[in-house]
Amino acid sequence: MIDRHNSDLVLIVDDVPDNLSVLHDALDEFGYTVLVATNGEQALQRAAQALPDIILLDALMPGLDGFEVARRLKADPATSTIPIVFMTGLTETEHVLSAFQAGGIDYVTKPIRPMEVLARIAAHVQGARERRQARNALDAFGHATLSVRAADGRVLWQTPLARQMLLAHEVGDGQQLGEAVLDWLQAQAVVHATGGRPQALTLARHGKRLTVALHEASAASGGASGGEDEWLLVMSEASDESTIEALGLAFRLTAREAEVLYWVVQGKTNRDIGEILGTSPRTVHKHLEHVFEKLGVETRTAAAGLAMARVRQLAATR
């Protein structure tokens, strides 16, 4: 188990033992916790397991070279925000450009000068820490945030809470948005482009509501790629579980009938409810017929009135 309480963690990736030794000793002396990897595959594995604060990455290694390692790290949301400083003996423009295009934030040339490396690490680790703290602060206030590409739903970065919500509501796998959220995002991108006001998406699962909203102030802001296809989404979660359960018990409804009645009270149409619950408007209509029968009413307004009265009664007794 790595103790990171009082120090930043640096992963050094180099296939030359002498380089590893020099850097390890210098970093250790200045109080960093150091991990090493001697090839690309090992680097990917250790980065995913330890999530270092920064990676020093040799550009040219046998097998999986540093450029490919960087591309894979940046493609994985779990490691995409880790700063990568390339170490290379190649100073030609094409190699420097390759380093930045692969996701590097900086580079140092060999032979390595430890004091230069230490200065660059300190600057980049501080910046990464500030960005991480900002994202964690969003989570602390319940605002799960992620950046995605509208074209294909690729998750570019996400806060820990955002990843948790995506998985819990089954609307993404942490790397890709699910179809329902992606369809919504692409539609709202069109609305935004034509000067309209984007609408939030609400989905329900097991008595919990997930609301996904487009952060208009940061939409189309460019991001790392400079394109207008990257969007900042903010997700929040609320629980209706206790109210839905109470409605089910009060009127002897099935779990799905209670959910349908709950959303009728919220003023949602059958189409809206179908989208929220992941079913068709026709199925919602069938459930609603059963609800009317059990409540002894004939209209949505009457059903909503009975349900609202019950909800107020429950609130008064809490």
Side-chain angles (χ1 to χ4, degrees):
M1 187 76 175
I2 300 171
D3 181 9
R4 304 176 60 171
H5 184 68
N6 295 313
S7 66
D8 294 306
L9 178 62
V10 181
L11 172 62
I12 310 172
V13 186
D14 200 316
D15 63 315
V16 179
D18 287 346
N19 292 339
L20 289 174
S21 179
V22 169
L23 285 170
H24 185 286
D25 290 349
L27 290 165
D28 183 67
E29 183 179 345
F30 275 79
Y32 290 99
T33 299
V34 182
L35 276 179
V36 299
T38 57
N39 58 64
E41 293 292 349
Q42 194 177 68
L44 291 172
Q45 182 181 25
R46 294 194 173 174
Q49 289 175 342
L51 297 179
D53 295 288
I54 194 167
I55 298 172
L56 295 177
L57 180 59
D58 186 20
L60 300 181
M61 297 181 291
L64 205 62
D65 68 20
F67 302 121
E68 180 59 24
V69 169
R71 282 190 286 269
R72 294 191 189 186
L73 289 169
K74 291 302 175 182
D76 183 348
T79 55
S80 64
T81 60
I82 300 173
I84 298 173
V85 176
F86 273 93
M87 300 182 294
T88 177
L90 305 171
T91 56
E92 288 85 353
T93 301
E94 63 178 292
H95 295 293
V96 174
L97 285 175
S98 294
F100 286 112
Q101 289 170 351
I105 196 172
D106 203 349
Y107 75 99
V108 292
T109 56
K110 293 182 176 181
I112 295 298
R113 294 178 290 275
M115 294 308 296
E116 177 187 354
V117 174
L118 285 164
R120 296 189 184 224
I121 285 178
H124 294 308
V125 164
Q126 177 63 26
R129 185 186 299 117
E130 291 172 355
R131 290 189 292 273
R132 184 168 62 249
Q133 289 171 343
R135 290 171 185 171
N136 289 342
L138 288 171
D139 278 358
F141 286 98
H143 301 302
T145 311
L146 66 161
S147 176
V148 299
R149 283 201 305 246
D152 57 8
R154 181 75 180 174
V155 177
L156 303 174
W157 64 261
Q158 62 197 318
T159 63
L161 183 59
R163 179 179 176 83
Q164 179 183 325
M165 287 185 180
L166 285 176
L167 295 175
H169 289 267
E170 299 182 3
V171 292
D173 60 7
Q175 298 186 23
Q176 198 83 23
L177 287 182
E179 184 177 350
V181 182
L182 178 57
D183 288 347
W184 164 83
L185 172 59
Q186 291 174 340
Q188 298 313 306
V190 173
V191 170
H192 183 276
T194 56
R197 184 177 181 83
Q199 300 297 310
L201 172 69
T202 298
L203 299 168
R205 182 177 176 80
H206 302 316
K208 291 185 178 180
R209 278 180 291 130
L210 179 70
T211 299
V212 188
L214 195 64
H215 196 302
E216 294 181 68
S218 297
S221 60
S225 67
E228 296 190 350
D229 191 34
E230 299 176 13
W231 298 83
L232 193 65
L233 307 183
V234 179
M235 301 190 300
S236 58
E237 187 180 66
S239 177
D240 307 302
E241 193 170 356
S242 60
T243 301
I244 291 171
E245 183 179 353
L247 288 173
L249 290 172
F251 300 112
R252 297 184 179 181
L253 305 176
T254 67
R256 183 45 60 94
E257 290 168 356
E259 285 184 304
V260 169
L261 178 57
Y262 176 85
W263 290 109
V264 167
V265 172
Q266 305 302 316
K268 301 297 185 182
T269 66
N270 285 5
R271 181 177 294 278
D272 293 335
I273 298 171
E275 291 177 354
I276 291 170
L277 300 181
T279 189
S280 69
R282 181 183 294 275
T283 301
V284 172
H285 180 75
K286 286 293 184 183
H287 286 307
L288 201 51
E289 286 182 340
H290 296 153
V291 170
F292 288 171
E293 183 179 346
K294 291 179 180 180
L295 269 63
V297 299
E298 296 182 356
T299 66
R300 298 172 74 91
T301 302
L306 280 178
M308 289 175 67
R310 182 56 179 160
V311 170
R312 285 194 294 268
Q313 189 178 46
L314 286 169
T317 58
R318 286 176 180 171

